[in-house]
Amino acid sequence: MERTLVILKPGALQRGLVGEVISRFEKRGLKLVAMKMKQLDQSVLDEHYAHLKDKPFFPWLCSGMMAAPVILCCWEGFEAVKVVRAMAGSTNARNAAPGTIRGDYALSAQENIVHTSDSVENARIELDRFFSPEDYCSYPSPLEQYLYAPDEK
Ligand code: UDP
Ligand code: MG
């Protein structure tokens, strides 16, 4: 099964939306396999947002990501990367479709509640950035037969 990283950004914690957002992934049927709360620092954000380091908003983005702790989650499921990315919605929350997390809970291009990995390759890199092998929990999923067809693995 595919795994992807979700970061509940400081705004999610400050606004009391952690439960709501996690609940969406749970209800969709995704499996939570690792989770931790962490205060991010500049050095990890330099890596995580390296593709944005020359953008004028980079310093604001980093301050926003360090304004409070984040919740790091690894969700597992068939094609989880694209499923979770679609649930987040467009980066600029003002353009995000209603029904997506950003489209329902945010109004900003920066303060947009969640980070989600954008490809299978980046999901691997990002999960390795924030989690060690011992952080992952293995447990039975008795509902799997009701969530997927036999070839959806
Ligand atoms: N961001 C921003 N202004 C922009 C584009 C992005 O503040 O014009 C912030 C926003 O918080 C976004 C993050 O930078 O979530 C990472 O940008 P990316 O393009 O990777 O978007 P994402 O993958 O989060 O949708
Ligand atoms: Mg991105």
Side-chain angles (χ1 to χ4, degrees):
M1 282 284 184
E2 204 166 276
R3 289 177 169 182
T4 191
L5 175 72
V6 172
I7 305 177
L8 306 194
K9 295 185 178 188
L13 186 66
Q14 296 287 22
R15 292 179 52 203
L17 295 171
V18 171
E20 298 253 358
V21 173
I22 288 176
S23 183
R24 287 187 173 219
F25 297 119
E26 283 185 315
K27 287 176 185 161
R28 189 76 189 266
L30 292 153
K31 182 175 179 180
L32 186 59
V33 293
M35 185 167 163
K36 63 171 117 165
M37 190 171 188
K38 194 177 169 70
Q39 174 65 50
L40 300 186
D41 61 22
Q42 188 64 54
S43 70
V44 80
L45 289 166
D46 286 343
E47 260 185 47
H48 185 68
Y49 285 135
H51 61 297
L52 299 171
K53 71 175 187 325
D54 297 326
K55 299 281 186 193
F57 59 79
F58 183 70
W60 302 344
L61 168 61
C62 293
S63 331
M65 290 297 289
M66 294 188 289
V70 299
I71 315 290
L72 300 153
C73 310
C74 176
W75 292 96
E76 187 180 84
F78 185 60
E79 298 183 350
V81 172
K82 79 169 183 197
V83 167
V84 164
R85 185 98 183 142
M87 290 174 75
S90 301
T91 304
N92 181 342
R94 292 187 299 282
N95 301 330
T100 63
I101 292 164
R102 289 163 171 172
D104 286 350
Y105 299 123
L107 288 168
S108 168
Q110 176 180 297
E111 295 302 314
N112 57 8
I113 307 294
V114 280
H115 165 83
T116 59
S117 303
D118 63 5
S119 67
V120 174
E121 191 195 351
N122 282 337
R124 277 200 206 101
I125 294 168
E126 292 177 352
L127 286 166
D128 286 348
R129 177 170 299 132
F130 293 106
F131 291 109
S132 322
E134 61 269 22
D135 293 329
Y136 294 96
C137 296
S138 160
Y139 59 98
S141 302
L143 296 182
E144 217 157 79
Q145 62 172 309
Y146 302 105
L147 288 168
Y148 297 112
D151 61 345
E152 293 173 325
K153 295 229 184 288

